[in-house]
Amino acid sequence: YINFNNTDDYYVPRSGVTAGTSLKYAGIGADTEYILSSTYFKYFYSLEKLTDMDIIFRYKNSLKLIEDIGYTPRSMTFYLGGPSSVRGYSSYAFDPDDYSDKVRFANYFTNTVELSFPLIPSAKMRWALFYDHGMIGENSFSEIKKAGTGALISWFSPVGPLQFIFSKAVSPEKGDDTSSFEFSLGTRF
């Protein structure tokens, strides 16, 4: 695992980058044998000099792959939907159970763009506008493509970060499990 972080604040970074990548091999002395790769990138940029307002541009993406090199258990799969991937869809809205007992999603990619604004600075509360786009699939990244947009309220409370997410799925298909409100505890951008 390799990680890099030069942001200026842990909870509300206004500048900097965090990035990391990991590679996991499973199979020594076991029936399973696969490789799991995970990479993420986050970028923060304060727009205060341009706008005279405390606005923060935030971008993040995540790329994950599973390579079957012997046997990969069906439980080793990726999911799409919810606060950690594509908001506007319910958590785990797109999982292999929706398609076939033999399908395992081995390719995962998400992007998020946010503009974060102060709400109640003394209470460490902010609000943000966001757009999420994600792709998932068994053999490629483009088998399922989904997007969501909306607004959220973040509060860095004494018990940890809280998010109240008001979202809308972009061009959902009939039967998609959408969500217009979600609550998240312990996650930050």
Side-chain angles (χ1 to χ4, degrees):
Y1 182 80
I2 298 170
N3 185 39
F4 173 79
N5 184 341
N6 71 350
T7 56
D8 60 346
D9 188 80
Y10 181 75
Y11 287 111
V12 186
R14 287 172 169 76
S15 68
V17 169
T18 63
T21 189
S22 66
L23 189 64
K24 172 185 174 182
Y25 170 77
I28 298 175
D31 295 334
T32 62
E33 191 170 18
Y34 63 91
I35 296 172
L36 172 64
S37 172
S38 180
T39 302
Y40 72 92
F41 174 81
K42 297 179 183 180
Y43 174 73
F44 305 90
Y45 183 76
S46 174
L47 300 174
E48 192 165 3
K49 290 180 182 177
L50 300 172
T51 63
D52 287 330
M53 297 174 60
D54 181 18
I55 301 172
I56 305 167
F57 171 81
R58 306 191 287 199
Y59 169 77
K60 71 177 174 181
N61 66 37
S62 178
L63 171 70
K64 299 177 184 178
L65 300 165
I66 298 172
E67 181 66 33
D68 188 345
I69 56 173
Y71 171 73
T72 304
R74 189 172 174 280
S75 60
M76 284 303 302
T77 189
F78 300 122
Y79 303 90
L80 197 62
S84 63
S85 63
V86 179
R87 296 165 283 192
Y89 295 92
S90 298
S91 294
Y92 308 107
F94 302 97
D95 64 13
D97 292 335
D98 291 342
Y99 301 97
S100 165
D101 288 339
K102 297 179 181 178
V103 171
R104 177 182 40 80
F105 292 146
N107 302 281
Y108 171 95
F109 182 73
T110 59
N111 279 295
T112 295
V113 175
E114 277 189 12
L115 286 176
S116 175
F117 306 87
L119 184 61
I120 305 172
S122 61
K124 296 183 181 177
M125 292 181 77
R126 297 185 66 85
W127 70 280
L129 299 171
F130 66 83
Y131 176 81
D132 297 336
H133 182 266
M135 300 183 294
I136 196 168
E138 180 181 15
N139 299 308
S140 72
F141 292 102
S142 59
E143 292 174 34
I144 298 173
K145 297 179 185 180
K146 297 296 173 182
T149 188
L152 64 88
I153 296 173
S154 296
W155 177 35
F156 299 98
S157 73
V159 296
L162 301 173
Q163 286 188 351
F164 304 93
I165 304 164
F166 306 90
S167 56
K168 180 174 177 22
V170 174
S171 302
E173 296 175 13
K174 185 177 180 182
D176 282 353
D177 188 8
T178 61
S179 174
S180 58
F181 176 78
E182 291 193 278
F183 171 80
S184 175
L185 172 64
T187 57
R188 39 188 193 98
F189 183 81

